[in-house]
Amino acid sequence: MATASKSRLAPGEHSIDRNTPREKPDGTWVLVWSIRLPNGRIVEKRSQADTKTRVRARAKATAEKLLSTRERAPWAPTMPVEKFIDDVTVPSITAAGLAASTTTLYTTAMTRARTELRGLPLADAATYGELEAALQHIAERYGLGAAKNAKKALNGHFIAPLLRHGVIDRNPLQATIDLVSMAKEATESPRGSADLTDAHRRAVVAHLLAIDPTDGVPVKSKSRWSYAHRLAVRRNAIDQCLLQAATGLRLQEAVNQRWSDITGDGILTTTFPKPVRVGGESVRKPRTIPILLPEVAAHLRDRAGHAAGEYAIPHPADADRPWGLAAAKEGMAALYVELAETLKIDPLLTLRSHAWRTVINRAFIAAGVPAAQRVAYLGHTEGVNAASYTHGVSLTAIQALIPSDPKTTV
């Protein structure tokens, strides 16, 4: 056993002969050991006796007892599969610490799988034949991507607990399942940033500046969030879109932007720029740039005057914290689909805020802005100063593109 002292315990093996008993001051001997049950679960144990020989013997007797009495599963094979999914699978997904978008994908996937497996006892639902049929029906009805998400959710949160507790002894989803041949044909959707134009950008900005955020938030809702919270999310999504469309900031830069880094004359210094590699080290290189649209600069001035905290896009429940990336992505997705449908801008059905960087860059190119200024403004990674993207780079050509607004001083 000495040569295998550091090897992983196999099912049915224990570490009694690997571990060393310790003598206590009162003369008794204690042995701390572990055993891997047939279902793969590790159990930690502690045995005690008056001699070293007896403590090992007592530990081995306990190990034999553990192996002879199979761990009882907390679910009967005859349990309805719907109850298992509701009581075990869905809570497992929500407690897994996944990104909010992934949690939503997996929960939706298991709702579909539950519908397909409904009426079956747990033991039958966890067979290759039933799972294959369920996944193929999902592929046929919702598409290949939906079926793949369902398979991942089933593997991690349906099959895994059944294996862990010995209800089944093998993973039926390890076998190949044909999901492609009967999958619903994917509809063509606009994806390329080339489909999003500068005219679209200006239409979006004009629309967002004109709408009343409260119009899109019902006072009464079945949501667990309060009206104030939902309204704050709506305002955040609008302000985030305006800020990115007028500056080309990345999402992480936008949600971490502080009011103190935006001047009254429409000049912004990135509070939390994206890190880049410089001389083998990761550094954050700030940029000081003009806000390209005076109407957005005016909107931000007004918002700053009423701000309760330091962040331009604050957490809905705490103005002194930035909005989280996952929540920002969710709020953005809902708003962009709304914009696509309202303004008939199909690319926004699939594109999100990073596309504004491409739109702005193309507008710069069309206006003849030199490459060095484009790189400096957007914070790309080539040919720039190590201390600051805009350090030593004149942005006069970009400044000249900003229209004057007689109603405001920008």
Side-chain angles (χ1 to χ4, degrees), residues 20-22 27-31 49-57:
T20 303
R22 303 293 180 189
T28 58
W29 289 81
V30 173
L31 177 64
D50 57 350
T51 68
K52 184 187 296 188
T53 301
R54 285 179 181 167
V55 77
R56 287 194 189 275

Side-chain angles (χ1 to χ4, degrees), residues 39 50 70 90 97 169 179 183 201 208 232 258 311 370 410:
N39 63 14
D50 57 350
R70 186 179 179 86
V90 173
D169 56 11
L179 299 176
R201 179 174 72 106
L208 293 179
R258 287 188 170 93
Y311 288 97
V410 181

Side-chain angles (χ1 to χ4, degrees), residues 65-141:
K65 184 177 180 180
L66 285 171
L67 293 175
S68 63
T69 56
R70 186 179 179 86
E71 183 188 23
R72 185 175 181 272
W75 319 289
T78 55
M79 170 190 284
V81 67
E82 305 97 298
K83 180 171 175 57
F84 182 85
I85 290 174
D86 293 343
D87 294 352
V88 178
T89 301
V90 173
S92 172
I93 292 170
T94 56
L98 304 170
S101 57
T102 304
T103 298
T104 300
L105 282 177
Y106 283 7
T107 303
T108 301
M110 285 311 306
T111 299
R112 292 166 177 168
R114 185 185 189 279
T115 299
E116 297 296 334
L117 298 169
R118 185 171 50 201
L120 293 172
L122 186 56
D124 290 349
T127 61
Y128 174 81
E130 295 294 349
L131 291 172
E132 177 190 42
L135 289 171
Q136 288 179 341
H137 288 159
I138 291 172
E140 184 177 7
R141 189 169 302 172

